[in-house]
């Protein structure tokens, strides 16, 4: 790994022919960016934690609660309008992911709940003592703990695929770890610490040869690149709206209908059951089978507005621009003495995590915020096993979105260098 071997993350310089990507205009759409923090223009470099919201999303929420509010699945006018709007968002998500049908799209609270839905279903129906679940060393806690619980309660075994020195999955190890007892592989599409984009299509091909399903945690990937679940051929895919610029409390679980139909429901309650007696219940068809109770329908509708916004900007244009920022930041940060970037995978999401020799990174975080108005993330990133492997307690993470600029990166670099001088 780069942290111990001294390798630096390198990526090929992306073309700056971004189709006229007008970041200055896009920044006007984000109200949070038009304020000052501690007397400095606010610079937000923590989109991997949660992305800022375009005003269209904020206004959509306000309009819904002000003039349209009604609970879905009812007959009178406002409730009918809400039902239709939720259905429209479901179709937009299906189109975004290239799902076969909107019924394969389940609305959940976030990527964490998406993982829990599948983990609990496998615990209840598909895991037995001695079975195996494969995850990887680069997982977020949200893709570790649910599977730990499932294994502890069933006697199944949790196996962890290692990574290489460059921060990529050890594909030879992964292939060798697949056995006749493997019941599911669950892994991130891209790492929220290392930025590594995993070869999902290759992994699903390996798994499907032995009839093993694959869950993909796309929390860090869906905001930054087009995702085609049919091309990837994954069995499940989960992500969160808030990391894309949508409201909090909304997420998506995509699942192949064949799997969703044979999985037991996650929760019981209204909506998910068509008929109920004291002896039994008949479940509603997909997707309602997995949407018990009252969903966050106002936020789901506003998420649909966010998807419209991103579609207008252009997903490929966003990806190209963010990759340019990643390259630009990497080149600038590597010039800082004593700064070490974690991971060196050639394909990465717009995330850079680094250490700084001789620096208290928690103090650096406060310094950047107080002196320069820069928001970064410092800590172990809910990835303690990975950080322990790297021999680190904390690191600094900067992450980029469509509304960031080269000038913000220049300010970050200047701030870090000034901090180093003042700390001497």
């Amino acid at each position: 790994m780069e942290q111990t071997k001294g390798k630096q993350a390198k990526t090929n310089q992306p073309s700056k022919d971004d189709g006229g990507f007008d970041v200055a205009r896009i920044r006007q759409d984000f109200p949070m960016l038009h304020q000052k923090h501690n007397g400095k223009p606010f610079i937000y470099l923590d989109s991997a934690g949660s992305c800022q919201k375009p005003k269209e999303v904020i206004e959509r929420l306000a309009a819904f609660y002000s003039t349209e509010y009604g609970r879905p699945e009812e007959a009178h006018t406002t409730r009918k309008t809400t039902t239709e709007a939720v259905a429209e968002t479901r179709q937009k998500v299906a189109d975004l992911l290239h799902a076969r049908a909107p019924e394969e799209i389940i609305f959940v609270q976030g990527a964490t709940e998406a993982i829990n839905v599948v983990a609990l279903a496998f615990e209840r129906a598909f895991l037995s003592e001695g079975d195996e679940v494969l995850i990887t060393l680069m997982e977020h806690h949200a893709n570790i703990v649910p599977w730990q619980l499932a294994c502890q309660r069933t006697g199944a075994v949790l196996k962890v695929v290692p990574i290489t020195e460059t921060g990529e999955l050890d594909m030879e190890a992964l292939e060798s770890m697949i056995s006749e007892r493997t019941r599911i592989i669950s892994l991130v599409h891209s790492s929220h610490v290392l930025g590594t984009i995993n070869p999902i299509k290759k992994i699903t091909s390996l798994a499907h040869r032995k009839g093993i399903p694959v869950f993909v945690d796309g929390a860090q990937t869906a905001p930054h690149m087009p995702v085609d679940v049919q091309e990837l051929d994954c069995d499940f895919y989960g992500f969160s709206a808030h990391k894309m610029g949508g409201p909090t409390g909304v997420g998506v679980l995509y699942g192949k209908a064949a799997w969703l139909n044979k999985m037991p429901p996650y929760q019981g309650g209204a909506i998910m059951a068509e008929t109920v007696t004291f002896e039994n219940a008949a479940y509603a068809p997909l997707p309602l089978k997995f949407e018990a109770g009252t969903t966050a329908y106002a936020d789901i509708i506003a998420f649909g507005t966010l998807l419209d916004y991103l579609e207008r900007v252009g997903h490929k244009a966003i990806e190209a621009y963010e990759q340019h920022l990643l390259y630009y930041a990497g080149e600038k940060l590597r010039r800082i003495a004593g700064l070490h970037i974690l991971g060196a995978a050639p394909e990465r999401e717009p995330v850079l995590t680094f250490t700084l020799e001789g620096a208290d990174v928690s103090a650096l975080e406060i310094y950047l915020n107080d002196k320069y108005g820069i928001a970064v993330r410092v800590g172990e990133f809910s990835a303690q096993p990975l950080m322990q492997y790297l021999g680190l307690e904390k690191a600094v993470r900067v992450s980029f979105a469509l509304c960031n600029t080269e000038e913000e990166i220049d300010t970050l670099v200047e701030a870090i260098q000034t901090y180093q001088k003042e700390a001497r």
Side-chain angles (χ1 to χ4, degrees):
M1 180 63 64
E2 190 276 334
Q3 173 65 18
T4 55
K5 299 297 184 181
K7 295 180 182 177
Q8 292 287 329
K10 293 284 187 179
T11 56
N12 294 325
Q13 183 173 8
S15 170
K16 208 176 177 185
D17 180 13
D18 50 27
F21 194 88
D22 189 351
V23 68
R25 182 197 61 75
I26 287 170
R27 286 176 65 83
Q28 294 303 311
D29 297 334
F30 290 81
M32 277 289 293
L33 303 182
H34 306 318
Q35 57 182 310
K36 292 187 176 181
H37 279 204
N38 299 313
K40 299 288 186 178
F42 182 43
I43 297 177
Y44 187 75
L45 300 177
D46 190 24
S47 290
S50 190
C51 188
Q52 296 295 340
K53 319 304 176 189
K55 60 186 177 183
E56 289 184 25
V57 173
I58 300 167
E59 291 169 353
R60 184 69 186 95
L61 275 171
F64 177 77
Y65 280 124
S66 299
T67 64
E68 305 170 34
Y69 184 77
R71 191 170 178 273
E73 304 303 329
E74 300 291 349
H76 61 71
T77 302
T78 56
R79 294 187 174 197
K80 183 178 180 182
T81 301
T82 301
T83 302
E84 292 171 350
V86 170
E88 288 173 3
T89 299
R90 199 185 304 274
Q91 182 63 61
K92 291 172 187 176
V93 176
D95 293 341
L96 177 75
L97 297 180
H98 301 274
R100 292 171 182 81
E103 291 74 24
E104 294 182 318
I105 303 300
I106 311 298
F107 288 123
V108 290
Q109 293 181 5
T112 297
E113 187 171 46
I115 297 165
N116 276 274
V117 170
V118 178
L120 189 58
F122 269 68
E123 174 191 327
R124 290 171 172 172
F126 308 118
L127 290 179
S128 301
E129 186 172 357
D131 288 341
E132 298 169 352
V133 175
L134 264 61
I135 61 172
T136 80
L137 182 58
M138 63 177 71
E139 302 306 319
H140 189 282
H141 293 173
N143 200 34
I144 299 174
V145 178
W147 295 111
Q148 279 183 339
L149 292 171
C151 289
Q152 289 167 2
R153 292 190 286 241
T154 61
V157 178
L158 188 66
K159 299 173 69 174
V160 181
V161 179
I163 60 177
T164 67
E165 290 184 355
T166 57
E168 298 169 88
L169 278 185
D170 186 333
M171 291 299 293
E172 289 186 4
L174 186 151
E175 188 168 6
S176 70
M177 291 169 72
I178 297 174
S179 76
E180 69 280 358
R181 298 305 301 268
T182 305
R183 295 296 175 258
I184 189 168
I185 300 173
S186 186
L187 78 163
V188 285
H189 197 162
S190 58
S191 169
H192 68 297
V193 177
L194 305 172
T196 307
I197 300 175
N198 288 320
I200 299 300
K201 187 175 180 180
K202 182 175 182 180
I203 293 168
T204 58
S205 178
L206 287 172
H208 290 167
R209 289 175 200 167
K210 297 189 177 182
I212 300 166
V214 177
F215 179 99
V216 180
D217 174 0
Q220 296 298 329
T221 315
H224 302 295
M225 61 183 280
V227 174
D228 186 332
V229 292
Q230 292 194 64
E231 174 69 18
L232 296 174
D233 199 23
C234 56
D235 301 274
F236 306 99
Y237 198 95
F239 65 94
S240 300
H242 75 95
K243 292 181 185 289
M244 301 179 72
T248 58
V250 176
V252 169
L253 168 63
Y254 156 81
K256 290 181 178 177
W259 271 106
L260 294 175
N261 279 321
K262 62 185 177 181
M263 284 166 48
Y266 175 58
Q267 294 176 321
I271 308 299
M272 57 76 62
E274 281 194 325
T275 61
V276 178
T277 69
F278 285 114
E279 291 73 35
N280 210 340
Y283 305 135
L286 298 176
L288 299 181
K289 172 184 173 183
F290 292 96
E291 295 181 3
T294 301
T295 59
Y297 48 87
D299 303 284
I300 290 169
I301 292 169
F303 180 40
T305 300
L306 183 276
L307 295 178
D308 291 339
Y309 175 84
L310 296 177
E311 181 70 21
R312 288 199 308 274
V313 177
H315 294 285
K316 289 185 178 180
I318 293 170
E319 180 186 23
Y321 179 71
E322 291 175 345
Q323 284 295 309
H324 168 71
L325 290 179
L326 174 65
Y327 177 85
Y328 185 87
E331 290 296 295
K332 292 282 186 174
L333 289 170
R334 276 193 290 273
R335 297 173 189 170
I336 298 176
L339 189 148
H340 302 281
I341 295 173
L342 306 182
E347 294 188 25
R348 303 165 60 98
E349 287 304 325
V351 170
L352 289 171
T353 303
F354 60 86
T355 59
L356 192 63
E357 290 179 10
D360 177 346
V361 290
S362 293
L364 173 61
E365 178 185 28
I366 295 170
Y367 178 87
L368 293 175
N369 180 75
D370 292 352
K371 298 291 186 179
Y372 286 84
I374 301 173
V376 300
R377 175 81 184 275
V378 168
E380 38 76 16
F381 315 113
S382 297
Q384 290 178 10
L386 173 61
M387 295 293 282
Q388 290 167 5
Y389 170 80
L390 297 174
L392 299 171
E393 291 185 2
K394 296 178 181 179
V396 184
R397 183 182 72 189
V398 294
S399 48
F400 312 107
L402 72 165
C403 53
N404 290 123
T405 66
E406 292 180 358
E407 291 76 17
E408 291 179 322
I409 294 168
D410 292 339
T411 301
L412 171 69
V413 171
E414 175 192 342
I416 295 172
Q417 292 173 326
T418 302
Y419 175 80
Q420 287 179 310
K421 292 175 183 177
E422 294 180 1
R424 289 172 186 166

